[in-house]
Amino acid sequence: MIRDITITLQPKNENNKGLINSLLYKQLHEMNLQIDGRKINDSEVSFVFVKKSVDARHGNVKLHLKYKAYIGEKPENQQEKLPEWKKTDGKKSVLIIGCGPAGLFGALKLLESGIKPVIIERGTTTLQRKKDIAKISTQNLVDENSNYCFGEGGAGTFSDGKLYTRSNKRGDVSGILKIFNYFGADEKILTDAHPHIGTDRLPKVIDSMCEKIQELGGEIYFNHKAVDFIFDDENVENGGDESISGRGGKISETSTSVKGILAQNTQTGETKTFLADAVVLATGHSATDIYMLLAKKVPAALEAKTFAAGVRAEHPRYIIDGIQYHHKAGKTLGAAEYRVTTQVDERGVYSFCMCPGGFVVPSASGPHEIVINGMSAAARNSKWSNAAIVVEIRPEDIPEQFKKQAEELGCPACAGLLFRSDLEKLTKEHGNGQAAPAQRLVDFLDGKKSASLPESSYTPGLVSSNLNEWLPSHINERLKKGFRIINKDMKGFICDDALLIASETRTSTPVRIVRNKESFECSSVKGLYPAGEGSGYSGGIVSSAMDGENVCAAIAKKLLG
């Protein structure tokens, strides 16, 4: 018999085992449970901690601790639920384009069936990525293939490592967390209500996952960028420029099946053909070149979708902690989180990727743009807290000029991509190198340029700019109204030290690669399987990981019968 029990206590008593046990047994006794018609004995019960959440509503900070009570039976062995990965014999292979969460978890899922995953990653290893990322802040140099978005582990590697998701129906969330824990993430991710790994720990976790994939016979090609698809009616040789496919533009009606890709070594410029039984596109939300390739070859594969754009709001951490904890938590709790959402003029305005005790980072994937994101170390102990505050953008909101450009390209679904790219370039024009345009929140609301800017965690630097003068009006006006609404619930959010940094544009992709709901196969190209954030069907580390698992489980079922 298993029962869920949740107890509530003050933060100062979180480690008071005596109090916790007394509260657990009290609740258990109140249930009046019986075994074979008799009352249960305390000696027959084992409690297993499941989850912790912080409740700071109504000015009274408290903790909710959830446990499972195993009555008359032994607790589940957590390790027994880990998948059994097999050494591949190489008889069946699947190309995975992208080494992010969808690609890595997809590869591990294939190895459960002994299918060989071959990962093609345009970026570098985590060790080299650290060096390349440092150059963004120190030298204003953005490597278009190795940055915060591209490289081993994908965009999530150098992020807060948030593992919280509401996509519980898409897969086994706890299974994803157990795998992360197995590869080195702290056990706290198994029990925290809003688990995170931390940017300082994620690289080692990702390295361990890649080592396991290779140990079992999988292959990973770093510094290899997918530049073309190879379709079933094309004669190809393994390697050489002669194998470049699709010179004539759109594929013919009979070329509806992909059998491989052409990849270019980003270090040498050499090209190589990779063939496999299926191709998984796990390229992430920033791989615009892949979308444009699909738009050129199979425009019907893309459809426009809603996305969001805005700014990143940064506060001194003590301000957010004070608002959320009502100045009563002291040092008993970590950096405070917040989540806000509202409606302004029939569009959502909401927070995204909130980083308590974190940093604002440059997340451009090319030298001609500025893109902002946030991250936190595992301890979440910086003196700032930040979050994206973004506005919902529907396909009908895209300015006409970008719709016209997309039509001229032969793929109307690309209008949002063109708009996003233009906004990122516009942000660059109002910055300086990777120094980003910024404004005090109070000045943004008053419509004036800030005479000075507060200290910030954003290391490339800031340029004072009146965002009102160049942010698209449908974003700008809704942000202003949204901030005033947010301040009603979080009094003190609008303050002189609150800083806005532009622009936040990569919350999700503006397009979706259309796929079959059951087979996960691209509706326009057989053998092509979109997965993860780049597919347009998931967002965040865990949902992308589950999507990669689901896609590769479907592939394994098809290949092995």
Side-chain angles (χ1 to χ4, degrees):
M1 185 188 307
I2 304 174
R3 292 292 184 270
D4 291 330
I5 296 178
T6 299
I7 61 174
T8 301
L9 67 164
Q10 293 180 336
K12 66 180 181 180
N13 293 320
E14 180 179 1
N15 297 314
N16 188 333
K17 294 182 179 180
L19 175 61
I20 290 172
N21 283 333
S22 66
L23 291 173
L24 288 171
Y25 280 113
K26 180 183 178 182
Q27 282 207 33
L28 187 66
H29 295 156
E30 290 174 351
M31 293 180 181
N32 294 317
L33 300 174
Q34 294 185 346
I35 297 179
D36 298 329
R38 63 173 177 79
K39 291 185 178 181
I40 60 173
N41 297 318
D42 290 353
S43 60
E44 297 177 287
V45 182
S46 295
F47 294 106
V48 175
F49 181 45
V50 175
K51 195 171 291 292
K52 177 183 76 172
S53 60
V54 179
D55 185 351
R57 295 172 296 175
H58 313 300
N60 183 21
V61 182
K62 50 187 177 289
L63 298 180
H64 298 305
L65 305 182
K66 182 178 179 180
Y67 288 78
K68 280 190 178 296
Y70 290 84
I71 306 162
E73 59 181 277
K74 293 182 179 180
E76 300 169 347
N77 187 331
Q78 301 290 326
Q79 294 300 320
E80 287 179 358
K81 290 191 174 182
L82 281 170
E84 293 183 9
W85 299 301
K86 303 174 183 177
K87 184 84 173 178
T88 178
D89 57 15
K91 293 180 179 179
K92 296 289 184 180
S93 65
V94 174
L95 283 174
I96 298 176
I97 317 303
C99 194
L104 290 172
F105 278 81
L108 290 171
K109 177 58 69 172
L110 291 171
L111 287 167
E112 290 182 42
S113 301
I115 298 173
K116 180 179 181 177
V118 180
I119 299 177
I120 310 297
E121 170 55 53
R122 69 190 293 174
T124 61
T125 62
T126 56
L127 181 61
Q128 181 59 42
R129 277 183 82 185
K130 290 179 182 179
K131 299 175 183 177
D132 295 333
I133 286 171
K135 292 179 182 178
I136 300 175
S137 296
T138 60
Q139 302 177 37
N140 279 313
L141 293 178
V142 179
D143 186 324
E144 63 182 3
N145 295 309
S146 179
N147 45 62
Y148 277 100
C149 295
F150 300 139
E152 186 177 15
T157 301
F158 296 96
S159 72
D160 192 66
K162 295 178 183 65
L163 303 179
Y164 176 67
T165 181
R166 292 181 176 81
S167 303
N168 295 304
K169 295 181 180 179
R170 296 188 181 186
D172 182 9
V173 175
S174 64
I176 298 294
L177 300 182
K178 286 185 177 70
I179 291 174
F180 271 125
N181 173 237
Y182 172 81
F183 285 109
D186 195 287
E187 286 189 355
K188 289 183 178 179
I189 67 170
L190 303 177
T191 55
D192 284 351
H194 291 174
H196 79 289
I197 299 177
T199 188
D200 51 335
R201 298 181 181 177
L202 259 166
K204 290 183 179 180
V205 174
I206 298 301
D207 289 345
S208 295
M209 294 179 74
C210 288
E211 288 170 6
K212 173 61 71 172
I213 291 169
Q214 293 170 308
E215 174 190 319
L216 295 173
E219 297 178 1
I220 303 178
Y221 291 83
F222 293 110
N223 302 308
H224 278 72
K225 178 182 178 181
V227 294
D228 213 341
F229 299 109
I230 298 170
F231 299 103
D232 58 2
D233 69 339
E234 296 168 330
N235 295 318
V236 297
E237 297 179 1
N238 199 7
D241 291 338
E242 301 84 5
S243 62
I244 296 179
S245 64
R247 294 174 186 269
K250 294 183 178 66
I251 62 171
S252 66
E253 292 183 1
T254 58
S255 296
T256 56
S257 180
V258 68
K259 61 181 179 182
I261 61 107
L262 184 75
Q264 184 179 57
N265 186 311
T266 60
Q267 307 296 304
T268 67
E270 297 178 355
T271 57
K272 182 177 180 180
T273 296
F274 291 87
L275 304 177
D277 296 292
V279 177
V280 176
L281 268 186
T283 46
H285 58 38
S286 294
T288 303
D289 56 311
I290 292 295
Y291 295 129
M292 290 305 178
L293 181 59
L294 285 170
K296 175 183 176 182
K297 297 294 184 67
V298 275
L302 300 177
E303 67 178 9
K305 63 177 279 292
T306 296
F307 64 111
V311 296
R312 188 153 284 263
E314 182 177 59
H315 292 76
R317 174 183 156 184
Y318 75 88
I319 292 177
I320 298 301
D321 289 355
I323 293 172
Q324 293 300 86
Y325 295 148
H326 311 281
H327 304 282
K328 295 181 179 180
K331 296 182 179 180
T332 58
L333 296 173
E337 300 180 53
Y338 67 82
R339 177 177 177 269
V340 293
T341 180
T342 187
Q343 286 282 315
V344 176
D345 299 333
E346 300 181 333
R347 295 293 183 270
V349 177
Y350 56 93
S351 61
F352 177 84
C353 185
M354 197 271 146
C355 298
F359 306 88
V360 181
V361 297
S363 197
S365 51
H368 306 299
E369 63 197 27
I370 287 180
V371 179
I372 301 303
N373 203 347
M375 72 176 189
S376 298
R380 289 181 165 176
N381 58 358
S382 90
K383 59 182 182 180
W384 295 277
S385 290
N386 66 78
I389 306 296
V390 294
V391 175
E392 175 189 8
I393 301 174
R394 299 178 186 175
E396 58 265 33
D397 300 329
I398 305 300
E400 288 301 320
Q401 68 181 95
F402 302 108
K403 293 180 181 179
K404 184 177 180 180
Q405 290 177 24
E407 289 176 0
E408 292 172 352
L409 287 173
C411 185
C414 287
L417 278 172
L418 297 173
F419 169 68
R420 183 180 78 173
S421 178
D422 184 78
L423 178 55
E424 293 168 355
K425 291 176 182 177
L426 183 63
T427 307
K428 171 85 170 182
E429 291 175 10
H430 289 272
N432 182 14
Q434 282 299 305
Q439 189 173 16
R440 291 181 188 265
L441 176 52
V442 291
D443 292 334
F444 174 67
L445 296 175
D446 289 340
K448 64 180 182 181
K449 183 178 179 179
S450 298
S452 65
L453 297 173
E455 186 183 4
S456 171
S457 66
Y458 186 73
T459 55
L462 302 173
V463 175
S464 182
S465 174
N466 189 348
L467 306 184
N468 294 274
E469 295 178 350
W470 58 271
L471 274 180
S473 60
H474 62 289
I475 296 175
N476 183 67
E477 294 305 318
R478 287 187 172 97
L479 279 176
K480 292 172 103 171
K481 293 178 182 178
F483 280 123
R484 291 189 173 99
I485 295 172
I486 291 169
N487 195 64
K488 290 180 181 179
D489 292 328
M490 295 180 65
K491 296 187 185 303
F493 190 91
I494 296 176
C495 62
D496 193 54
D497 285 332
L499 179 67
L500 304 184
I501 308 175
S503 292
E504 180 95 21
T505 56
R506 306 282 178 91
T507 59
S508 67
T509 177
V511 294
R512 179 180 290 115
I513 305 174
V514 185
R515 71 185 187 190
N516 183 280
K517 291 182 179 180
E518 295 182 0
S519 69
F520 299 95
E521 192 173 32
C522 177
S523 302
S524 302
V525 183
K526 294 179 180 178
L528 186 66
Y529 294 82
E533 288 202 23
S535 70
Y537 291 91
S538 65
I541 293 174
V542 172
S543 63
S544 293
M546 290 191 295
D547 199 52
E549 285 191 334
N550 292 337
V551 165
C552 287
I555 293 173
K557 182 178 180 180
K558 181 177 180 179
L559 294 182
L560 302 179

